[in-house]
Amino acid sequence: VIRRAALAACVATVLAGAHGVSGQSPAAPAAAAARPDYDIGYLGAPLPDPLMQHNKETYVSFGCAYCHGLTLIARGEAADLRLSALVDADVDGSTIVALLKSGIPQTPKLSPMPQFSDLSDQQLHAIARYIHYARGKAFFDEQCVGCHAQKPNSVPASARPPHDSALKNYTPSQVADLVAYLKAK
Amino acid sequence: MAMASNALTRRAFGKLMMAGLPAARLAALQRASNRSLIGGVQFGLQPFCYHDLAMTPDNRGTLVKRLVQNGMGMVELHATWVEPRFAGAGVSAADARDKLRAWRLSKPVDHYRAVKKEFDDSGITIFSYYVNINDTYTDDEIDAVFDGAKMLGALGCVGSQGLKVSERVAKFPGRHGMFLGIHNHDNLSDPDAFATEASFEKGLAFSPDIKATLDTRHYTAANGDCLGFLERHHERVSSVHLGDRRKNNGRSTPFGEGDAPIIEILRMIRDNHWPIMALLEFEHGTLRPQVQEVQLMFDYCKRAVLS
């Protein structure tokens, strides 16, 4: 309960000042231009938070995006990480890292997910952190941007989703994902 | 080695291939001024490699440009690059499927010819047509798919269908002077899947018109021996999907960083003059533009066969 309250408070604080959150830092395109090997058309401009950018690059470099999608919109038969119960249950890599190390066994219906046991714990945690960030961004873009991308308070209170300051309608995992996103934006 | 006339038509080449002519002769026949025939190995691309490019008819022009940019003269073309899309708002999946079947059965000759011309004009041979035939395909529809593939210039249809469907489809390619390619993944627990040498042997036994499309990534991840497979079955292998992964269901890697013996595979094809197409296909991630990544992997392969 304390953790959730702390997360909610963090979200509320950041949301209070959130407008134009979908935009990138003006420095981001310039940074991308300095990296001719960086596929800005596909990957998008580098994120303002260099640590989250590193996490994103780890997620892409090791092939996660190929199946699960850069924005977690899956291709083919890969799991939709936006809806994954396993990701819901993850706290600081607790379930994702273990799964990446072991892979997912094949079933008669689905191809297996490869195992990534040769990656370091740092790399595996980076992948987990990006997944939460991307979930938070997807959630924000779907649920929050209507009010919070506008000028603060430009949307009448009566027209806003009734989440109130404690975000009581949201699950702990949704709140955690939002925090991951908002802290890095 | 006797070199074939460049005037040999693709139809004639297909017939010769099906007739099981000596491998060295077939390799010579395939050397018809193709820009990605390198060091005696015919390379091509499975355009899955362009991860950022959706496989749609709208993107076909971009695909052709990229293939030329990467120096590719051969491609395995997925049907989704060719066929119109019927899915959309207000159209159920079942309706879209019915419309696609009707389109195929309408024998859209002009459409296939126009697509073929786009590739011909850029000096790109469509070696095979990738289509995942399944239980929803009627017999007439399967014939129509092979007809369409043939009009594109393809020598065969390849897909990820399992044993059961392959057994049913086995009788179709021969009617069209073509082959059916069976393609492996690394699912070792599905008895219907192509993943092991034994599963390939079952599939190849259905018909002489069935050929193996050996995916070196998945075969390696399933702890298979690519070199041993080629040594034993090269006469029934039409192409390799060339890429790298690590053993034990390991991840995809850039070429040379996994366990697939890519260099040895290519040199085995080269040194034995086997008419096995080396179609690059990879799933590893990259931050680089996709054309650049394809070029790096292609250059790795070129070094393997030119040294």
Side-chain angles (χ1 to χ4, degrees), chain B residues 14-30:
Chain B
K15 283 182 179 173
L16 289 167
M17 188 170 185
M18 292 304 113
L21 284 182
R25 172 97 172 124
L26 287 172
L29 293 176
Q30 183 64 354

Side-chain angles (χ1 to χ4, degrees), chain B residues 29-48:
Chain B
L29 293 176
Q30 183 64 354
R31 297 178 184 185
S33 61
N34 187 298
R35 70 167 71 88
S36 54
L37 175 66
I38 314 280
V41 177
Q42 177 62 60
F43 289 94
L45 194 78
Q46 221 309 344
F48 271 125

